[in-house]
């Protein structure tokens, strides 16, 4: 077994703290990565606190992982020692069901294996990227370009692909009016991708103070959703709304902003059920949809697109010992726009 160290929550009631554990040995189809940076996702906090479902403890969070390959299995074909590589939200799937065969491993009919807070197919707990090393199957490892800042690339493995995938699925681009709800870790990536794809992008936010930041990211317009007159002015305007908000909010208000046949796509995960009036949908043949992360092929496509167009996340690099304080700031929205842990600080 490979000796590893990281930060773990021992129970839902305890903060993250140093913890030593073991990774499996590198098998014929495996790759071992020396982790250099790991992004901090809002879902990390939800999962260590059991907000969504009972967790697997001790829990090492982190699914925005980048680093350097230090060992490859005998049968690995597409990677070599020294390559930069990344791992996102999943590390395995059945690979044979119809969804996996279509490159939709995130929707594996048997359930994909999550990078952490999950059991692998042999029943062993998975541990994430708040650690110094990780071992995964070649099929779930991604090539990382050396053209981009490695630390700022880490959040692309979740925040990036979570926004890229629905925009590509619905073919959002030139001639479309796209609204992005929320300007956080997900929202700021949605703005960057929407602009890069040629859409006219509007940010919808409850915070008027975020307008300048939205414009700096490339947004063409900004609407304060607590201002009734501004909301009225954008009724029936948008072809698509990408909703990144993880708090309970008024779906009907956003539906009123869609044109006929418009689509509101949810990628945030509020803690309670969302309510929608049927006439909000029927009145304009509007749709309310959802999207998760992308498959491995699509995630690689996204990383390649980012390398070509110089797109990364806006980050704040932190020492791993400051993770609890970072969570507290994240809950207050006090980060532009993603914390990334420098794993070199893991002593």
């Amino acid at each position: 077994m490979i000796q590893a160290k990281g930060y773990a929550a021992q129970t839902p009631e305890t903060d993250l703290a140093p913890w030593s554990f073991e990774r499996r040995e590198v098998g014929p189809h495996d790759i071992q990565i020396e982790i250099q940076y790991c992004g901090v996702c809002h879902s990390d906090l939800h999962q260590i606190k059991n907000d969504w479902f009972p967790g697997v403890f001790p829990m090492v969070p982190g699914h925005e992982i980048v680093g350097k390959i230090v060992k490859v299995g005998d049968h690995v074909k597409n990677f070599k020692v020294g390559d930069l590589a990344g791992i996102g939200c999943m590390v395995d799937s059945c690979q044979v069901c119809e969804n996996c065969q279509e490159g939709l491993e995130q929707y594996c009919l048997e359930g994909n294996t999550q990078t952490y807070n999950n059991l692998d197919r042999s029943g062993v707990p998975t541990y994430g990227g708040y650690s110094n090393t990780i071992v995964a199957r070649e099929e779930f490892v991604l090539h990382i370009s050396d053209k981009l800042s490695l630390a700022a690339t880490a959040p692309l493995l979740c925040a990036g692909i979570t926004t890229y995938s629905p925009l590509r699925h619905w073919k959002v681009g030139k001639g479309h009016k796209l609204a992005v709800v929320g300007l956080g870790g997900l929202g700021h990536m949605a703005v960057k991708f929407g602009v890069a794809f040629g859409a006219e992008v509007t940010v919808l936010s409850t915070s008027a103070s975020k307008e300048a930041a939205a414009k700096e990211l490339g947004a063409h317009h900004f609407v304060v959703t607590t201002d009734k007159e501004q909301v009225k002015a954008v009724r029936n305007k948008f072809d698509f709304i990408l909703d990144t908000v993880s708090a309970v909010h008024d779906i009907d208000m956003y539906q009123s902003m869609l044109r006929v046949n418009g689509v509101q796509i949810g990628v945030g995960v509020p803690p309670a059920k969302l309510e929608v009036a049927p006439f909000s949908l029927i009145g304009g043949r509007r749709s309310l949809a959802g999207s998760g992360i992308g498959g491995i092929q699509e995630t690689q496509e996204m990383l390649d697109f980012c390398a070509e167009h110089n797109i990364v996340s806006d980050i704040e690099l932190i020492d791993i010992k400051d993770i609890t304080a970072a969570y507290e700031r994240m809950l207050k929205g006090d980060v532009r726009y993603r914390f990334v842990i420098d794993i070199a600080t893991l002593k």
Side-chain angles (χ1 to χ4, degrees):
M1 301 293 283
I2 296 171
Q3 299 303 308
K5 57 184 179 180
Y7 264 48
Q10 298 296 322
T11 71
E13 294 74 37
T14 57
D15 290 334
L16 292 169
W19 185 57
S20 295
F21 61 103
E22 294 181 331
R23 301 280 193 188
R24 71 173 185 267
E25 290 290 346
V26 176
H29 300 280
D30 288 339
I31 289 171
Q32 182 183 0
I33 298 173
E34 177 186 273
I35 301 173
Q36 294 176 293
Y37 301 100
C38 184
V40 178
C41 181
H42 207 287
S43 63
D44 297 342
L45 181 56
H46 282 301
Q47 294 195 69
I48 66 170
K49 296 303 181 186
N50 269 3
D51 288 343
W52 294 338
F53 43 78
V56 179
F57 290 88
M59 189 188 302
V60 179
H63 57 208
E64 298 178 343
I65 301 165
V66 294
K68 185 173 292 187
I69 294 174
V70 293
K71 190 173 183 179
V72 298
D74 293 340
H75 295 169
V76 170
K77 299 177 180 178
N78 297 313
F79 296 85
K80 65 182 185 302
V81 171
D83 284 352
L84 296 178
I87 293 174
C89 300
M90 55 186 170
V91 290
D92 204 358
S93 71
C94 79
Q95 300 181 59
V96 296
C97 72
E98 58 183 290
N99 288 350
C100 286
Q101 289 293 302
E102 292 178 12
L104 299 170
E105 300 93 345
Q106 73 273 35
Y107 305 126
C108 175
L109 295 176
E110 292 187 9
N112 68 66
T113 301
Q114 294 286 286
T115 303
Y116 73 90
N117 193 22
N118 209 186
L119 300 178
D120 67 19
R121 282 172 153 66
S122 65
V124 175
T126 57
Y127 301 119
Y130 292 18
S131 58
N132 64 332
T133 191
I134 190 168
V135 177
R137 289 185 61 89
E138 175 184 15
E139 295 90 342
F140 289 81
V141 175
L142 297 144
H143 291 279
I144 303 292
S145 171
D146 61 4
K147 295 179 181 179
L148 301 174
S149 160
L150 188 60
T153 298
L156 299 180
L157 277 303
C158 177
I161 189 58
T162 297
T163 51
Y164 181 94
S165 184
L167 295 178
R168 281 308 200 203
H169 175 74
W170 273 277
K171 298 179 174 58
V172 177
K174 190 174 182 180
H176 290 139
K177 289 181 169 61
L178 167 69
V180 176
V181 185
L183 195 65
L186 293 173
H188 94 288
M189 290 306 309
V191 171
K192 290 188 179 191
F193 285 135
V195 171
F197 296 161
E200 182 180 318
V201 178
T202 299
V203 170
L204 307 176
S205 175
T206 59
S207 303
S209 60
K210 292 185 176 181
E211 180 171 3
K215 297 291 181 63
E216 288 174 8
L217 290 167
H220 304 97
H221 311 286
F222 188 88
V223 171
V224 181
T225 54
T226 53
D227 184 325
K228 292 182 179 179
E229 289 304 311
Q230 290 191 43
V231 170
K232 183 178 179 180
V234 292
R235 285 179 182 168
N236 303 300
K237 177 169 182 172
F238 303 114
D239 300 290
F240 300 97
I241 296 175
L242 190 61
D243 185 350
T244 73
V245 173
S246 293
V248 175
H249 51 292
D250 186 356
I251 297 298
D252 294 331
M253 179 183 71
Y254 294 109
Q255 284 284 305
S256 74
M257 300 178 186
L258 289 171
R259 292 175 168 176
V260 170
N261 297 323
V263 184
Q264 180 178 348
I265 308 151
V267 294
V269 185
K273 291 182 179 180
L274 298 173
E275 295 184 356
V276 57
F279 283 111
S280 292
L281 305 175
I282 294 170
R285 198 163 63 191
R286 303 179 178 111
S287 299
L288 180 61
S291 179
I293 57 171
I296 297 300
Q297 182 178 345
E298 186 175 51
T299 305
Q300 188 63 63
E301 173 194 304
M302 181 265 308
L303 289 168
D304 295 343
F305 180 89
C306 289
E308 182 181 351
H309 295 273
N310 194 31
I311 295 173
V312 290
S313 182
D314 290 13
I315 69 166
E316 181 177 332
L317 201 60
I318 63 168
D319 189 309
I320 197 168
K321 68 178 175 55
D322 298 325
I323 185 61
T324 299
Y327 282 159
E328 292 171 356
R329 286 181 55 195
M330 184 173 64
L331 287 173
K332 298 175 183 177
D334 180 24
V335 55
R336 286 193 179 180
Y337 289 93
R338 204 71 157 182
F339 288 117
V340 172
I341 301 167
D342 182 352
I343 300 300
T345 63
L346 177 61
K347 307 299 183 183

